[in-house]
Amino acid sequence: MAREADNPTPAASVTPAGKAQEAGSEKARIRLFGQNGTTVDFFQNSTCVGGSAARTRVSGGVGDAFSSFLGSVKNTSIGIKETPTTQELSQRDGVVSKAYFREYEVAAGQPLTVSMFFQSVPTGSRFTCRNLGGTFTPEAGKDYEIALKFRSDQCLASVQEIRQDEQGQVALLDVEARPTTKCE
C-alpha cells in the first residue's frame, strides 16, 4: 500500500519564480492539473503505482473536490513558464468543477510514475477514464507538464517538456512515457 507523502503540498522551490534552473541542478519541475472528478497521484523513484513509494496526491482529495466545486481552488506555482494549457485553463472548467494546477520540484534522473483517473461530473453525458498515466525519467533542470487531454469522450494522458526558444516563445514537446502497472 502506498504511503502518503509527509508533505503532500507542492514543495517550495529554491529557484526564483520565473527563472530557469541552473545547469547541473539535480532537480526537475513538474506541473500537473486537477479538478472535481479527477484523481491524480505521482510516485517518485518508482516504475509502478503503489508499493512502498511515497504517493503525492495532486487532485482527488475531499478538500480539493470541495474547493473545485465552490470555484475557490487556487493554482500553486513555483515559477514554471506559462503554456497554452495554463493560459486556457478556464476552458476546462465544468459547472461544478474548477480546473487548477500544482507545480512540484522532483528528483531528476529517477523514474516518476503518474496515475490519473477521470469521471465526468454528472451534467450530461457521463464517461470514465481509468488507469491513465505512465512512467518517465525527468532530466535535471527541465520543466514538464503532465495532463489529461480530452477529445469527445476520450481521455489521453500526455507528458510534455516545456521549452522556451530564443524569442521567448514557449513550446511543448512530447516526452515518451512507458506504460505502468500496479506494484506487486
Side-chain angles (χ1 to χ4, degrees):
M1 178 170 209
R3 62 181 171 85
E4 193 73 28
D6 292 344
N7 181 8
T9 56
S13 175
V14 295
T15 306
K19 303 261 180 167
Q21 293 184 5
E22 293 180 24
S25 169
E26 294 184 18
K27 299 288 184 178
R29 301 186 299 181
I30 59 173
R31 174 188 295 136
L32 299 112
F33 298 87
Q35 68 187 101
N36 210 2
T38 304
T39 301
V40 179
D41 296 318
F42 70 88
F43 302 84
Q44 292 189 70
N45 199 20
S46 179
T47 58
C48 55
V49 173
S52 61
R55 175 186 72 186
T56 300
R57 168 90 9 122
V58 177
S59 174
V62 174
D64 295 330
F66 191 65
S67 295
S68 180
F69 176 81
L70 294 176
S72 62
V73 70
K74 303 283 187 222
N75 298 323
T76 305
S77 177
I78 58 172
I80 297 175
K81 293 282 184 192
E82 281 206 64
T83 65
T85 314
T86 59
Q87 293 167 344
E88 300 167 0
L89 191 58
S90 64
Q91 292 180 6
R92 292 174 169 248
D93 290 349
V95 176
V96 292
S97 180
K98 182 179 179 187
Y100 60 92
F101 66 83
R102 294 194 173 137
E103 297 174 357
Y104 300 84
E105 190 173 69
V106 297
Q110 298 178 5
L112 181 95
T113 296
V114 179
S115 171
M116 297 182 265
F117 168 86
F118 174 80
Q119 180 171 322
S120 64
V121 178
T123 57
S125 66
R126 185 179 181 112
F127 71 100
T128 302
C129 301
R130 299 178 187 268
N131 303 323
L132 294 170
T135 301
F136 78 106
T137 302
E139 294 180 34
K142 293 190 176 183
D143 294 335
Y144 299 90
E145 188 168 272
I146 304 163
L148 281 174
K149 309 257 179 173
F150 302 100
R151 294 193 186 119
S152 301
D153 285 350
Q154 261 189 338
C155 303
L156 305 167
S158 76
V159 177
Q160 297 178 301
E161 181 185 340
I162 302 168
R163 285 199 187 163
Q164 185 174 1
D165 66 19
E166 294 170 2
Q167 290 76 36
Q169 298 294 321
V170 172
L172 294 171
L173 304 169
D174 290 337
V175 172
E176 186 174 336
R178 296 177 305 283
T180 189
T181 60
K182 286 191 166 213
C183 299
E184 294 187 25

